[in-house]
Amino acid sequence: QLVESGGDSVQTGGSLRLSCVVSGYTRRPYKMGWFRQAPGKDREGVAWTDRYNTATYPRSPNDRFTISLDRDKDTLYLQMNDLKPEDSAMYYCAADLSNTFCSGANCFDLLARSGHWGQGTQVTVS
């Protein structure tokens, strides 16, 4: 089970930290990632990390978002700074338990096919 939280309405330039708590799995996910989907737009991957907290941001430039994994708390985070109206979206976390090899942006496809998703948390920037 994946449960996101931390979404809110903020002003342009503000910051938020999203959380995704992992529970109920018999083993830790091999990869986890954050996605977002705005109304009328396709879902897009934001960042992913492996279980060793090696983060990847396939879409550059990205100097505003930071993904991290706290293994002790079984929680995935997304720190978002200098938020812009175009960051407004529902944010979802996803987990891969298959240990299938992938790299770069291809890992978003793997995560999307995993079937392990949270319910989402809304971020609105105005």
Side-chain angles (χ1 to χ4, degrees), residues 13-84:
S15 297
L16 285 174
R17 188 176 78 158
L18 307 184
S19 300
C20 173
V21 178
V22 183
S23 66
Y25 296 116
T26 57
R27 62 177 181 271
R28 285 194 172 98
Y30 288 93
K31 296 179 182 65
M32 295 191 68
W34 286 98
F35 293 76
R36 66 185 184 184
Q37 187 167 22
K41 295 187 176 181
D42 293 336
R43 182 179 59 198
E44 64 173 355
V46 176
W48 64 267
T49 185
D50 64 16
R51 56 168 46 177
Y52 304 106
N53 219 5
T54 303
T56 300
Y57 306 90
R59 295 181 173 83
S60 61
N62 179 66
D63 55 358
R64 300 186 295 118
F65 292 0
T66 303
I67 189 172
S68 62
L69 177 65
D70 187 327
R71 295 179 63 178
D72 291 337
K73 295 182 179 180
D74 287 327
T75 301
L76 180 74
Y77 299 100
L78 184 68
Q79 177 67 42
M80 305 187 295
N81 299 324
D82 189 24
L83 284 162
K84 306 176 186 301

Side-chain angles (χ1 to χ4, degrees), residues 2 22 25 29-33 35 93-98 110-118:
L2 305 174
V22 183
Y25 296 116
Y30 288 93
K31 296 179 182 65
M32 295 191 68
F35 293 76
C93 66
D96 167 56
L97 279 71
S98 70
L110 178 67
L111 285 162
R113 293 194 305 267
S114 72
H116 299 284
W117 290 90

